[in-house]
Amino acid sequence: MSRQRTRLSPHQLRHGLSVLIQQHLVYWNTSLTDGSTAYEPNIIAAYNLVRNGKYVKITEDRFGKFAGSMMLHLLLLGHARVDDLVQAYGVGSTNEPKGKTDALRGMPNSLLPHKMKKNGRMLYEMQATLEKIHHTLRDLLQGGLISKAHKSDFRTDADNRIEAERLTPHIEEYKAQTKREREAMWEQAVQEKLDGWKYGTVAETRDIAALKKGEKRPLEYSNESTSEKRLRLDLTFSREIRASTGVDYQNSIMHSGYLNDDLVLRVNHAKFAVLMRSYRLVELAQHNICMGTSKLYEKVLHMVEGRLRACKDAAFCSGDEDETHDSFNPVITTEYIVSMIPESSELADAFGAVEDNVTEDEASDHPKKRHKKSYGGVEEVVVADDSGEYEGHGDHGREELSDVDTDGNDSEFTSDSDEAMGEADYNPAQSDLPALSLSPHHVKVRSHLLSLAQHPMGFLKHIPRNSSSSERWSINFRNLIDKTISQTINQIIASRYGILSVRLANILAERGKLDEKTLCSLCLVREKEMRTRLTTMHKAGLLELQEVPRDNARVASRTNFLFFFDQDRCTRRLLDGCYKTMTRLLERAAVEKEKVKGTLEKAGRSDVVGKEDELLSVPEREALQNWTDVQERICAQVGRVDDVVALLRDF
């Protein structure tokens, strides 16, 4: 069928499919019944090609330029064996004889060039040693930027589901009292198998954790005698891995401390989405608060990134998110944050001077917190007791909560984000906690953390200390991203249709389905202008319309037209617009490149590279410079559109 539609020879067709599979641009699966192979395009992988530059930049920021170079090569190859990457740098393989490997280790870095063929030329990069390559790969594995390639990476989600169900024992083999419990156990086993393929099995996670603790010799290389029980346990563990993945388990660490030469590595796009989300949240914190607080927030995000496998998991998407679960909202203590953040003048001067050994009482975080009342310009502190009454220090004595005037301008109540959102947990034993003597650095860091927690965006969630645990902080990513998406949608609507359209969308999102007359009264807008706004936004797909007839005649005069705002539909419409915009930008880049095709071919010749000023004329150099400027502007615009796509789709 593919030969008939493409009109390619079998050799060309196989070569093209091999390249697409190598780049993960095509899914493929061979049926077990008839042996036929089906292919399907991987649209997400094709789109991720736009982010290659961002991936390399993130890798360089985290692990250095050499790691960015290795990430670029891995992106160009799609996936590669460790030995292939080592050979590409011209260093030598770990499978070589020990004497030759030791000789390579002792050679100076200048004698170990990196050879990579590109565009018919050999590129030489120095400072590449066998230890450096494996050390960089270990760092990337620990950071989650690369992962072990698996057969499931080349199959669609539906094919992976079918394969996981085939390898999972039948429902009847699970021992449970009811059929519903057996089905739940079977579904959990299938999901665990899918998660193992996608995020790594228990054994692979153990190997990566062993890289952090230090390299140890596996059992088979030990000189000591091994007990029969130990061997039996190891064989059982190996059979469990083989049953869960369908393939034999191979340790990714060799006895010499290097990674296995046959280990196939690929780029972990899910982890890069987590890092891109962190960059976006840091920029948002810097825009809303200040530079010093955003840098501290960046450190906090780095602390929790290691425990996040992806921005979205199956349970996360299905609404089964538990705010206390470590996989979604990792919790970290204040002491750990303070120990990981060094003292700096930028951190200390962001909020001005802070008194030493002074901190707010954690009892002020519960709903019955202190209030301030002003009488004739004099503030009176009113503190609630356990009976629900307030004790005031002044001539007014005791007042009940019902007597406090909350509507006038004479009273002022202090509040925090937890109380405003109804999330503050009051613990009566909290008021009996002893006061803490904190260092000045601890107080400054805590002030920044409180500013992040009390911001309307809710960058952090404050969990006050109690008798059983210390003060902790967590990040509700789902709530934070939802607010960011709403803010971005409002900015797009405001830039296209004005502030009034933003107010209209917010009212519909809050109130639900409303007719035109009700909207005019709520928005305080004339009916003619309101009708124009509604028609424009409805044609753009930002508003939806529902017709509700009042009788069976279904006449327009006897029909109620209800408008409503669906954020999910609006997000999908904006995503389609982003894809179209990016396509037009890439087409524009191709057109501009075609205009200077001859100049680019001449400038790319091997005898001209490095001698452009001598061998190119003035008009050719000007055309080349103009093309460079146009390309930079187009690439920058594509990057901005990709930021919106990442927020609306991936985060």
Side-chain angles (χ1 to χ4, degrees):
M1 182 64 69
S2 299
R3 291 177 54 187
Q4 297 175 359
R5 295 192 176 186
T6 59
R7 297 182 180 179
L8 297 175
S9 63
H11 176 73
Q12 293 174 334
L13 184 62
R14 294 191 186 97
H15 177 73
L17 288 175
S18 300
V19 173
L20 293 176
I21 292 173
Q22 175 73 25
Q23 297 293 331
H24 295 259
L25 297 177
V26 167
Y27 291 120
W28 68 278
N29 185 39
T30 302
S31 176
L32 297 177
T33 57
D34 55 359
S36 61
T37 303
Y39 301 92
E40 183 176 338
N42 187 352
I43 301 176
I44 301 299
Y47 177 85
N48 288 335
L49 295 176
V50 179
R51 298 179 177 174
N52 286 355
K54 292 183 178 180
Y55 289 174
V56 174
K57 182 64 170 59
I58 292 174
T59 307
E60 289 181 354
D61 294 342
R62 297 294 180 96
F63 302 100
K65 290 187 177 181
F66 186 77
S69 173
M70 296 197 68
M71 180 61 65
L72 177 60
H73 294 153
L74 197 56
L75 287 169
L76 294 176
L77 295 173
H79 62 270
R81 295 167 57 246
V82 173
D83 186 56
D84 295 336
L85 291 173
V86 172
Q87 293 294 336
Y89 280 87
V91 176
S93 173
T94 53
N95 286 332
E96 295 178 353
K98 184 177 180 181
K100 186 175 181 180
T101 305
D102 292 341
L104 288 172
R105 288 185 201 168
M107 295 175 64
N109 293 333
S110 60
L111 299 180
L112 295 175
H114 159 214
K115 300 179 181 180
M116 177 65 72
K117 189 172 183 179
K118 182 179 180 182
N119 296 332
R121 298 192 302 271
M122 299 299 295
L123 302 180
Y124 293 88
E125 295 182 6
M126 306 302 175
Q127 306 297 329
T129 62
L130 194 62
E131 288 84 358
K132 188 173 184 179
I133 293 174
H134 283 269
H135 179 73
T136 303
L137 290 176
R138 287 199 299 267
D139 290 342
L140 295 176
L141 274 172
Q142 293 173 16
L145 302 187
I146 60 176
S147 60
K148 181 181 177 180
H150 191 267
K151 292 181 179 179
S152 61
D153 299 330
F154 303 93
R155 295 192 295 253
T156 62
D157 293 339
D159 292 335
N160 284 330
R161 175 77 185 189
I162 295 174
E163 184 67 16
E165 292 178 355
R166 186 182 68 85
L167 296 176
T168 304
H170 197 265
I171 300 179
E172 302 299 334
E173 298 182 15
Y174 291 93
K175 297 181 180 180
Q177 295 181 355
T178 62
K179 182 179 179 181
R180 179 175 298 180
E181 293 179 355
R182 291 194 296 270
E183 291 178 351
M185 295 172 62
W186 179 80
E187 181 66 28
Q188 182 180 0
V190 172
Q191 190 61 42
E192 289 178 355
K193 195 177 296 298
L194 292 174
D195 291 342
W197 291 347
K198 187 174 183 180
Y199 302 111
T201 60
V202 177
E204 295 168 357
T205 306
R206 183 191 62 179
D207 289 344
I208 296 176
L211 293 176
K212 302 179 182 179
K213 297 178 181 178
E215 299 142 354
K216 297 181 180 180
R217 291 183 301 173
L219 183 63
E220 58 268 24
Y221 295 101
S222 176
N223 295 326
E224 299 178 0
S225 58
T226 306
S227 62
E228 182 180 356
K229 180 179 180 181
R230 178 68 179 273
L231 289 174
R232 192 165 55 249
L233 290 175
D234 287 341
L235 292 175
T236 304
F237 179 76
S238 178
R239 285 194 295 269
E240 291 176 356
I241 298 300
R242 187 183 303 110
S244 62
T245 60
V247 296
D248 292 338
Y249 168 70
Q250 295 180 353
N251 194 349
S252 60
I253 304 177
M254 297 185 65
H255 65 282
S256 60
Y258 294 131
L259 297 178
N260 195 329
D261 285 340
D262 295 329
L263 179 65
V264 182
L265 300 176
R266 66 174 181 88
V267 179
N268 189 0
H269 296 278
K271 192 66 175 183
F272 272 107
V274 174
L275 302 184
M276 291 172 60
R277 181 180 64 181
S278 299
Y279 278 91
R280 182 61 181 267
L281 294 179
V282 171
E283 293 178 358
L284 192 64
Q286 179 181 349
H287 177 73
N288 286 275
I289 305 179
C290 67
M291 175 69 74
T293 305
S294 66
K295 289 186 177 180
L296 185 142
Y297 190 52
E298 183 179 8
K299 296 288 185 181
V300 175
L301 290 172
H302 287 177
M303 296 175 192
V304 303
E305 283 171 357
R307 286 180 279 177
L308 299 175
R309 303 183 302 183
C311 291
K312 298 178 181 179
D313 280 341
F316 191 88
C317 298
S318 61
D320 298 334
E321 176 189 2
D322 184 5
E323 293 187 356
T324 61
H325 199 280
D326 291 343
S327 299
F328 304 113
N329 301 321
V331 178
I332 48 180
T333 61
T334 307
E335 291 76 10
Y336 180 71
I337 297 175
V338 173
S339 64
M340 297 298 293
I341 296 178
E343 298 187 22
S344 63
S345 59
E346 185 177 6
L347 187 68
D349 299 339
F351 290 152
V354 181
E355 296 183 8
D356 296 343
N357 301 328
V358 176
T359 182
E360 296 180 2
D361 187 11
E362 279 75 5
S364 62
D365 286 325
H366 60 70
K368 298 179 181 179
K369 62 187 301 182
R370 59 179 62 190
H371 298 264
K372 292 182 180 179
K373 287 192 63 180
S374 59
Y375 294 92
V378 179
E379 289 186 348
E380 177 188 12
V381 179
V382 185
V383 183
D385 58 7
D386 294 337
S387 62
E389 297 182 345
Y390 284 75
E391 295 181 357
H393 301 280
D395 298 335
H396 301 280
R398 303 171 65 90
E399 292 186 7
E400 295 184 358
L401 180 61
S402 59
D403 295 333
V404 179
D405 184 14
T406 60
D407 298 328
N409 297 326
D410 294 336
S411 60
E412 179 183 1
F413 290 90
T414 60
S415 180
D416 60 5
S417 59
D418 289 341
E419 182 179 353
M421 294 184 290
E423 297 179 356
D425 298 327
Y426 173 62
N427 187 359
Q430 197 173 14
S431 59
D432 299 333
L433 296 176
L436 297 178
S437 179
L438 305 178
S439 63
H441 178 59
H442 193 130
V443 174
K444 294 168 187 175
V445 171
R446 189 174 182 274
S447 300
H448 286 275
L449 295 175
L450 286 174
S451 67
L452 290 167
Q454 295 171 358
H455 194 273
M457 290 295 296
F459 293 102
L460 289 177
K461 181 181 178 182
H462 183 208
I463 305 176
R465 70 186 182 98
N466 50 39
S467 58
S468 60
S469 61
S470 59
E471 186 180 46
R472 294 169 295 166
W473 309 83
S474 67
I475 305 176
N476 191 342
F477 287 104
R478 185 70 270 159
N479 184 32
L480 184 56
I481 293 301
D482 287 342
K483 291 181 180 179
T484 309
I485 291 176
S486 300
Q487 192 179 74
T488 303
I489 292 176
N490 290 339
Q491 291 175 356
I492 295 175
I493 295 176
S495 63
R496 295 180 181 179
Y497 310 105
I499 300 298
L500 179 59
S501 300
V502 177
R503 191 200 318 171
L504 175 62
N506 291 334
I507 290 176
L508 289 175
E510 181 181 357
R511 298 296 185 90
K513 300 178 181 180
L514 299 174
D515 58 358
E516 184 178 327
K517 184 177 181 181
T518 306
L519 284 172
C520 292
S521 61
L522 292 175
C523 295
L524 303 178
V525 179
R526 290 175 298 184
E527 185 176 353
K528 183 178 180 180
E529 185 178 359
M530 176 61 68
R531 186 176 294 111
T532 304
R533 298 277 181 173
L534 290 174
T535 304
T536 304
M537 296 182 66
H538 180 255
K539 287 183 178 179
L542 301 179
L543 295 182
E544 302 294 334
L545 178 63
Q546 181 180 3
E547 300 179 4
V548 181
R550 284 178 282 182
D551 53 19
N552 295 330
R554 297 182 178 274
V555 184
S557 59
R558 301 285 298 171
T559 302
N560 293 329
F561 297 93
L562 303 179
F563 293 89
F564 62 96
F565 177 80
D566 190 345
Q567 183 169 319
D568 294 335
R569 294 185 182 181
C570 183
T571 300
R572 290 194 295 268
R573 182 58 63 94
L574 292 178
L575 274 175
D576 292 339
C578 291
Y579 294 148
K580 294 178 181 178
T581 302
M582 190 175 295
T583 303
R584 296 189 185 104
L585 288 171
L586 296 176
E587 290 178 353
R588 178 61 182 273
V591 171
E592 295 293 335
K593 185 178 181 180
E594 187 67 24
K595 294 179 182 179
V596 293
K597 181 179 179 181
T599 306
L600 291 175
E601 291 178 352
K602 183 178 180 180
R605 284 163 41 184
S606 59
D607 59 334
V608 180
V609 174
K611 302 178 182 179
E612 290 83 358
D613 296 338
E614 301 176 3
L615 302 178
L616 294 180
S617 62
V618 176
E620 289 176 340
R621 291 199 300 269
E622 291 179 354
L624 193 62
Q625 183 62 36
N626 292 335
W627 155 246
T628 303
D629 297 339
V630 170
Q631 186 183 27
E632 289 178 356
R633 290 198 297 268
I634 292 177
C635 291
Q637 195 66 25
V638 169
R640 295 190 186 100
V641 176
D642 177 62
D643 291 339
V644 180
V645 173
L647 174 64
L648 299 179
R649 188 192 66 182
D650 300 331
F651 295 168

